[in-house]
Amino acid sequence: MYAAIRQAKARTGTAEELARRIKEGAIPIISDVEGFMAYYVVYAPDDTVTAISIFNNFASAEEANRRAIAWAEQSLAPLLVGQTSAVAGPVIVHTLA
């Protein structure tokens, strides 16, 4: 199992619009990557937005980050402050309820 993680700082007060754009734009792009397993977005109190995608191989996690960064640059730029960072790697610990 591999995770693709993207993180950015949102402009204050944009959480609802970010969620709408992500649901309509990012989810179809990311879930179309071969090996897709799950997608989560966390919006922290300091306006940090973290998107976590889970895949069954590393190449897919990297491809998801490539697609997501390109999409965010075009679709989320007015809602974000600064650059979006991205990392991918193996999940070394996980558990389910």
Side-chain angles (χ1 to χ4, degrees):
M1 179 179 345
Y2 297 84
I5 303 170
R6 281 119 9 235
Q7 194 165 57
K9 190 78 161 186
R11 294 190 188 280
T12 301
T14 61
E16 286 184 30
E17 180 62 14
L18 275 168
R20 184 189 70 75
R21 290 186 189 193
I22 290 167
K23 288 176 188 175
E24 293 175 1
I27 289 176
I29 291 167
I30 300 303
S31 63
D32 191 47
V33 175
E34 185 177 335
F36 172 80
M37 297 171 64
Y39 185 80
Y40 306 92
V41 176
V42 178
Y43 195 98
D46 70 349
D47 296 314
T48 299
V49 181
T50 305
I52 305 162
S53 309
I54 306 297
F55 295 89
N56 64 15
N57 65 76
F58 182 67
S60 294
E62 286 189 312
E63 175 64 14
N65 275 345
R66 187 190 66 72
R67 291 184 189 188
I69 292 292
W71 175 82
E73 287 174 352
Q74 289 190 343
S75 301
L76 298 182
L79 305 176
L80 301 178
V81 178
Q83 297 290 317
T84 301
S85 65
V87 296
V91 175
I92 62 170
V93 176
H94 78 283
T95 188
L96 299 172

